């Protein structure tokens, strides 16, 4: 589709076309399009911008990844389609491994996703040969690698399923979730809930990781002051304020 660059929804329409194209290639599932649409709806409510609360959570996320002994960045179809290069750059900036983990799992789709990440610059992507399971999950998302997800201490889970986020928290992992819905089970369960569009979130986290890399004191201060509950409350307050503002504009 030839989308005019002056269209007010240009970036959104380009993203939708890319997701639709990657459905045909087996990277994204049709139900993944529903998930993306739900996220876009919450982005509208947040003003399609990075809020102050999101910035705080992105800075905390970067600090946690940098301090981790075994950080993992988890990738599913939507995450790969939305910003594979951003995920890879963040992994490089925080010395994190990448593992593919998906709900609609087939060997063919796993191979396609791993190949897609490697074509975008990732190396030694995990997930193709699972040798461990996340306790408490009956779906194929339980399948993981001991080298990666199972033994990780900090894990980034963009575009997440709530049941797996809860299971990872029960394993005493620090779970960083990128989820535009502050009311989702994922956001409620996570140690750090990042309510921001994924590409914006990744860009900020990469910047913070580079700034904080050698500043142990600042990383400690950021993590000691961060409250995920307070941050989620601030995110929901922003949504309410935006809705009130729109209603007032109509008067």
């Amino acid at each position: 589709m030839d989308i005019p660059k002056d269209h007010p929804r240009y970036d959104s329409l380009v993203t939708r076309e890319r997701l639709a194209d990657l459905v045909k290639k087996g990277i994204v599932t049709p139900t993944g399009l529903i998930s993306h649409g739900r996220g876009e709806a919450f982005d509208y409510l947040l003003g399609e911008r990075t809020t102050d609360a999101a910035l705080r959570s992105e800075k905390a996320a970067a600090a946690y990844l940098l301090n981790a002994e075994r950080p993992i960045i988890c990738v599913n179809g939507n995450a790969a389609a939305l910003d594979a290069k951003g995920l890879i750059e963040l992994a490089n900036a925080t010395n994190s491994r990448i593992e593919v983990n998906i709900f609609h799992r087939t060997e063919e789709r796993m191979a396609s996703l791993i190949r897609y990440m490697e074509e975008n610059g990732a190396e030694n992507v995990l997930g193709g040969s699972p040798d461990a399971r996340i306790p408490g999950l009956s779906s194929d998302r339980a399948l993981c690698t001991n080298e990666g997800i199972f033994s990780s201490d900090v894990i980034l889970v963009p575009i997440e399923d709530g049941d797996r986020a809860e299971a990872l928290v029960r394993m005493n992992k620090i779970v960083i979730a990128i989820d535009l819905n502050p009311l989702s089970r994922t956001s409620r369960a996570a140690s750090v809930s990042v309510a921001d569009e994924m590409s914006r979130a990744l860009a900020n986290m990469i910047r913070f990781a580079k700034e904080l890399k050698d500043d142990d004191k600042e990383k400690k201060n950021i993590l000691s002051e961060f409250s995920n509950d307070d941050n989620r409350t601030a995110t929901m307050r922003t949504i309410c304020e935006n809705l009130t503002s729109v209603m007032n504009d109509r008067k």
Side-chain angles (χ1 to χ4, degrees), residues 95-121:
N95 198 30
S96 301
R97 297 293 303 272
I98 293 175
E99 179 162 341
V100 171
N101 179 274
I102 52 178
F103 185 83
H104 299 284
R105 182 187 178 110
T106 65
E107 294 306 309
E108 181 181 11
R109 186 165 178 243
M110 284 294 297
S112 294
L113 266 165
I114 290 172
R115 183 168 58 251
Y116 183 78
M117 292 301 294
E118 290 175 343
E119 287 171 353
N120 278 277

Side-chain angles (χ1 to χ4, degrees), residues 17 21 36 57 65 80 83 87 96 154 162 174 178 182 204 212:
E17 288 294 319
D21 181 58
H36 178 72
S57 61
L65 287 168
D83 197 351
L87 291 164
S96 301
V154 177
I174 298 295
I178 301 178
N204 289 328
L212 295 169

Side-chain angles (χ1 to χ4, degrees), residues 41-75:
F42 276 94
D43 202 21
Y44 294 165
L45 296 175
L46 287 164
E48 296 182 279
R49 62 182 179 85
T50 299
T51 64
D52 290 341
L55 277 174
R56 287 193 294 271
S57 61
E58 286 154 2
K59 187 174 287 188
Y64 270 122
L65 287 168
L66 289 169
N67 281 353
E69 292 184 7
R70 300 179 70 91
I72 284 288
I73 292 176
C74 195
V75 175

Side-chain angles (χ1 to χ4, degrees), residues 39-228:
E40 274 206 338
F42 276 94
D43 202 21
Y44 294 165
L45 296 175
L46 287 164
E48 296 182 279
R49 62 182 179 85
T50 299
T51 64
D52 290 341
L55 277 174
R56 287 193 294 271
S57 61
E58 286 154 2
K59 187 174 287 188
Y64 270 122
L65 287 168
L66 289 169
N67 281 353
E69 292 184 7
R70 300 179 70 91
I72 284 288
I73 292 176
C74 195
V75 175
N76 64 10
N78 275 34
L82 288 171
D83 197 351
K85 290 187 182 298
L87 291 164
I88 295 163
E89 187 175 354
L90 180 63
N92 292 336
T94 57
N95 198 30
S96 301
R97 297 293 303 272
I98 293 175
E99 179 162 341
V100 171
N101 179 274
I102 52 178
F103 185 83
H104 299 284
R105 182 187 178 110
T106 65
E107 294 306 309
E108 181 181 11
R109 186 165 178 243
M110 284 294 297
S112 294
L113 266 165
I114 290 172
R115 183 168 58 251
Y116 183 78
M117 292 301 294
E118 290 175 343
E119 287 171 353
N120 278 277
E123 297 181 359
N124 302 316
V125 177
L126 302 170
S129 301
D131 56 2
R133 293 187 66 92
I134 299 171
L137 290 183
S138 58
S139 74
D140 282 347
R141 295 211 80 173
L143 298 173
C144 64
T145 67
N146 186 63
E147 183 182 2
I149 289 173
F150 193 83
S151 61
S152 65
D153 54 344
V154 177
I155 179 167
L156 172 67
V157 287
I159 326 295
E160 171 63 354
D161 286 340
D163 60 343
R164 191 180 67 134
E166 292 170 338
L168 292 169
V169 170
R170 289 195 296 269
M171 294 176 74
N172 296 316
K173 300 182 187 301
I174 298 295
V175 175
I176 301 164
I178 301 178
D179 189 335
L180 280 156
N181 178 2
L183 300 174
S184 70
R185 274 192 306 154
T186 299
S187 292
R188 298 198 307 270
S191 316
V192 180
S193 304
V194 180
D196 202 358
E197 188 276 328
M198 198 183 84
S199 291
R200 292 198 305 261
L202 292 175
N204 289 328
M205 290 163 67
I206 291 163
R207 173 168 59 86
F208 287 135
K210 292 176 179 178
E211 291 174 357
L212 295 169
K213 190 174 183 66
D214 299 315
D215 195 340
D216 293 339
K217 182 179 179 180
E218 182 62 14
K219 283 183 285 187
K220 183 177 180 180
N221 288 339
I222 289 167
L223 296 181
S224 66
E225 295 173 1
F226 179 74
S227 167
N228 200 51

